[in-house]
Amino acid sequence: LDAIEFNNGFAHSEIFLISYLQPILIEVNPRISGASGTILAMQNIAGNQNQIDVFLNQIFNIQQKLGRKYFVKCLCLYNGGANKMPDLTDTLMGQYGVSHIVQIVPPGALSPGITSDLSSISAYVIIKETCLERLEQNATTIRNLDNSGWVV
């Protein structure tokens, strides 16, 4: 950040370590973290400060009111059965602790199925619960639905 004279505000950096002590700079941008806003949403849903809240507090001494505390988890879904992607808002919202959905592959479209490639993510789903065990059970249920291609 010093090399590009970036002194204030958010910065998102990606660096790959190709071998011992050999980093390669991939990206530096003046923005908050990505994942289609799910990182910020997770913090808000969990009842914590997000990056913007911390920035406002540090620069302008603005305190944000924090909400109720929850256990949260973000699931990356891939539509594993390679069936047509359902409308996840209709399918999941209000069930299994789901509180936020970012659907990348539109309803009715085919997605490539499960891979380890982050570019193949069909949707981000944030779930919340007051009980950690129930959060994990709900996460397993949603992953199983996703792995089956949403065959119920």
Side-chain angles (χ1 to χ4, degrees):
L1 295 175
D2 288 342
I4 61 171
E5 298 179 6
F6 190 82
N7 300 315
N8 295 302
F10 299 106
H12 173 85
S13 304
E14 293 180 16
I15 300 169
F16 289 168
L17 190 60
I18 59 170
S19 65
Y20 184 71
L21 297 177
Q22 283 194 296
I24 293 180
L25 180 63
I26 304 299
E27 171 189 356
V28 175
N29 279 302
R31 64 177 178 89
I32 58 177
S33 61
S36 297
T38 55
I39 305 299
L40 295 177
M42 280 182 66
Q43 291 304 314
N44 290 339
I45 292 165
N48 298 321
Q49 288 186 324
N50 64 38
Q51 293 169 311
I52 295 171
D53 297 332
V54 171
F55 178 76
L56 290 173
N57 184 356
Q58 293 298 312
I59 302 298
F60 302 109
N61 199 27
I62 296 173
Q63 294 286 334
Q64 298 295 327
K65 184 179 178 192
L66 300 179
R68 181 178 177 190
K69 297 288 185 182
Y70 288 96
F71 293 103
V72 297
K73 183 172 267 198
C74 181
L75 304 174
C76 298
L77 304 182
Y78 295 91
N79 193 20
N83 294 329
K84 289 184 178 179
M85 190 70 181
D87 183 330
L88 293 178
T89 300
D90 291 345
T91 306
L92 292 177
M93 191 57 82
Q95 299 185 70
Y96 312 112
V98 172
S99 60
H100 185 80
I101 298 171
V102 176
Q103 184 156 346
I104 298 166
V105 173
L110 290 175
S111 56
I114 295 176
T115 74
S116 60
D117 183 355
L118 291 176
S119 67
S120 299
I121 293 173
S122 297
Y124 297 102
V125 173
I126 299 174
I127 59 176
K128 71 175 183 180
E129 287 291 347
T130 55
C131 171
L132 184 58
E133 184 176 284
R134 194 166 44 247
L135 179 83
E136 293 301 337
Q137 290 169 349
N138 288 339
T140 298
T141 299
I142 293 169
R143 281 193 203 104
N144 288 341
L145 284 168
D146 185 50
N147 289 339
S148 74
W150 301 95
V151 176
V152 180

